[in-house]
Amino acid sequence: MLGESIPIYACPDDLLVLRRVFSYIFEDTTGTGFRPRLHMREITGPFALFGLPVVPLELVHGPGSSLGYRIGPFAYVTDCNEIPESTLSRLSGVEILLIDALRFRSHASHLTIPQALEVADRLQVRRTRLTHLGHDVDVHRHGTQLPAGAELAYDGQRLTFDIDFS
């Protein structure tokens, strides 16, 4: 709704970083200029967003960590170079996987395209969309070399799926 604050969801450590780095947004001071109205929501476990159940998934991002999310048959797993076994087990049965796949060469904090495809194959995902692509990925050349069910994601892409609320 117009004029309402925007919720931002993050794990406790990341909320602390946001408060520190963007202190001017969260301090109760009056000043000139634009200040976004944000409402911090701490992710400590599953939560509901727009009535949908969201399950946070722990990921490895270089020396740190990040979160992916599962919503019913869909999983968003990006900003990672490794997926812990405990998270892989929580991805069992996923039908649509949007996964980090920066490039073909290794990277310290992102999955490569072959690594992302290995994860999709291991999980037996029906539809895989590779995202977080680097500039050295040629959409026309590399997009045609992907296995069945895998595609390069693109800006503005829409994915549809059914969610069982029972």
Side-chain angles (χ1 to χ4, degrees):
M1 299 295 270
L2 188 61
E4 290 184 19
S5 63
I6 299 169
I8 56 172
Y9 295 81
C11 62
D13 289 345
D14 291 341
L15 289 176
L16 290 173
V17 170
L18 289 170
R19 279 192 187 282
R20 187 186 76 233
V21 174
F22 300 103
S23 60
Y24 67 93
I25 294 174
F26 302 104
E27 291 175 356
D28 285 336
T29 59
T30 56
T32 60
F34 174 76
R35 188 170 99 176
R37 294 180 55 212
L38 304 175
H39 176 73
M40 292 185 155
R41 303 230 173 149
E42 191 173 282
I43 297 175
T44 57
F47 61 98
L49 185 61
F50 304 112
L52 300 174
V54 179
V55 177
L57 305 166
E58 293 183 26
L59 304 170
V60 177
H61 186 247
S65 63
S66 65
L67 289 177
Y69 303 95
R70 180 170 181 167
I71 303 169
F74 170 75
Y76 176 84
V77 180
T78 189
D79 260 352
C80 66
N81 62 304
E82 184 182 332
I83 303 173
E85 284 298 322
S86 59
T87 296
L88 285 169
S89 67
R90 298 179 90 184
L91 290 170
S92 177
V94 162
E95 296 174 17
I96 305 169
L97 178 65
L98 186 65
I99 188 168
D100 187 313
L102 184 66
R103 60 190 188 195
F104 289 92
R105 295 176 289 126
S106 67
H107 189 276
S109 54
H110 297 281
L111 293 172
T112 64
I113 290 173
Q115 289 170 327
L117 293 172
E118 282 179 31
V119 170
D121 186 52
R122 177 176 173 183
L123 295 172
Q124 298 179 338
V125 177
R126 225 172 27 113
R127 294 168 55 195
T128 303
R129 299 301 176 264
L130 306 177
T131 191
H132 211 127
L133 303 168
H135 295 285
D136 53 347
V137 177
D138 182 315
V139 173
H140 301 291
R141 184 175 59 149
H142 297 126
T144 60
Q145 298 171 356
L146 297 173
E151 295 178 14
L152 302 176
Y154 56 87
D155 291 346
Q157 186 172 27
R158 291 176 183 234
L159 301 172
T160 58
F161 52 90
D162 295 320
I163 296 179
D164 182 8
F165 287 97
S166 58

